[in-house]
Amino acid sequence: MSFRIVRNSKFRHVFGQPLKREQCYDNIRITKNSWDSNFCVVNPKFVAIVIEAAGGGAFLVLPLSKTGRIDVSHPMVSGHKGPVLDIAWCPFNDNVIASASEDACVRVWQIPEGGLTRPLTEPLIELNGHQRRVGFVQWHPSANNVLLSAGADCKIIMWNVGTGDILSQIDHPDLVFHCSWSYDGSRLLTTCKDKKIRIYDPKTGALEQEADGHEGAKPQRAIYLRNNLIFTIGFSKMSERQYSLRSEASLSEPIILETLDTSNGVLFPFYDQDVNLVYLCAKGDSNIRYFEITDEAPFVHYINTYQSTEPQRGIGFMPKRGCDILNCEIARFFKLHSKGLVEVISFTVPRKSDQFQEDIYPDTAGDVPALSAEQWISGEDREPILVSLREGYQPSKKAELKVTQKKKPNVLDKTVVKKQTPSAASKEATPSPPPGSPSLNSALNSRVEELVSELQKMKAIILKHEVRIRDLEKKVDQQQKGLLDNTQISNAENNNNGETLADEV
């Protein structure tokens, strides 16, 4: 009789290894903001970090190859009037990044190829629709130019970045903590201050499901997994950190609910949808836990914990297409230290073979959108287009993002638009006088006369000032001459004080 004590998994021996300090990023003024955000996002080209900067919000964008000590005067992206709270790279263009700030504005930026050589202050587009701070932004997983933003005004807005238009809007009952798209972007999962978990139709804003989340008052987060599963992180009534796995069909009944520990940091989930691995880390913690999601009970299987001595202020997660395939790297984290270091941590599966490991590298989401923003809002849903990593990641050719905003009326225009009446309409329908007509010539003549009279007045004023200046100059000359004479007399008297005059003999 044989039985298995240890669960068989190809990820059982995954381990994390930090890179050397010269392969990391040092001397960065990492933000000290207490907002619950990662403050770091990564793609195969750049790493972006929210930093402390005077004069408003700013973040740093560095090419991945620019490791070592970063100059304090390195160009940064600055344009927000308040601190930057969240940033997100576009999944279909590695040079486009969105930022959200306390100034209630969302901005989208185009990073030049090779990185910044001078400060970037002009965004591609500015999205104004929130009344209070915007603390969360996230791109659609398969539709091009669709961006989600959630603000403290309890609004969730879906934007078309290409035109600046609002595609749809959700009025949330309370403050939004977190949002997550489903795999094909057809549904939206939210967590809220009222401890509820909700599922919306993002196109119409209709509420589809609602259930109780974790019982604790601290912020909770939830993400969509494959196969319509939902993974949530929160706190119990006793402030114990918990995670749960739920099915979309029965949202109110968790499949499992487990307690992790009693720390007070809000956990951030990072999901690898290719191999169903979930990584959990929190601000203030010094470890990263990782789990595997399977169809076997207990469904969420603990694998291991990466431990270090330094706590993290934020963390960034590299997409699978940016991992090192030759070294069997399945995840790469960028850990923000409080002392200005961005440490790179590589998670690898130990394998002896140098060949492509197809079992740990299934096809992953590429950088080509499956549909446009117009197709998505019209009712279409498609899963992300997958690419193979067998030959390594080959980025597709991308053109710069072009924004075509609709022309809006000038609010500073002095002409007042009045409601048309039949008589007014008939007057406006009258054609304007052609050039050279008597009425037009008389108007031009009167305007020219006004300008000439105004010019004459200005000349008279200037003449008066010139006369006044000449008078003052004469007075100054006279004063200077008088002062010089007095000085000469006093000097002569001083010279004669020590001499005997002839009359005195």
Side-chain angles (χ1 to χ4, degrees), residues 52-97:
E52 287 285 329
F59 59 95
L60 198 64
V61 176
L62 300 171
L64 291 183
S65 59
K66 191 175 178 61
T67 55
R69 188 174 180 86
I70 307 300
D71 191 355
V72 292
S73 61
H74 190 279
M76 56 188 176
V77 182
S78 57
H80 284 285
K81 298 177 182 177
V84 176
L85 301 180
D86 198 20
I87 47 179
W89 287 109
C90 177
F92 311 118
N93 192 331
D94 289 337
N95 294 71
V96 174
I97 186 171

Side-chain angles (χ1 to χ4, degrees), residues 140-143 180-188 223-229 248 271-274 363-366 381-387:
H140 193 280
S142 59
S180 175
W181 296 97
S182 61
Y183 181 64
D184 61 354
S186 61
R187 296 173 304 283
L188 186 66
I223 56 172
Y224 255 112
L225 308 181
R226 300 288 289 270
N227 304 322
N228 296 327
L229 293 175
E248 190 183 51
Y271 177 52
D272 184 346
Q273 60 189 9
D274 301 330
D363 291 350
T364 187
D381 291 308
R382 296 178 195 169
E383 293 186 351
I385 296 176
L386 304 181
V387 295

Side-chain angles (χ1 to χ4, degrees), residues 462-478:
I462 292 171
L463 186 60
K464 289 181 181 178
H465 284 298
E466 287 179 350
V467 173
R468 177 63 175 164
I469 289 170
R470 283 197 296 269
D471 293 341
L472 291 174
E473 287 176 347
K474 290 180 181 179
K475 289 182 179 180
V476 170
D477 292 339
Q478 292 174 359

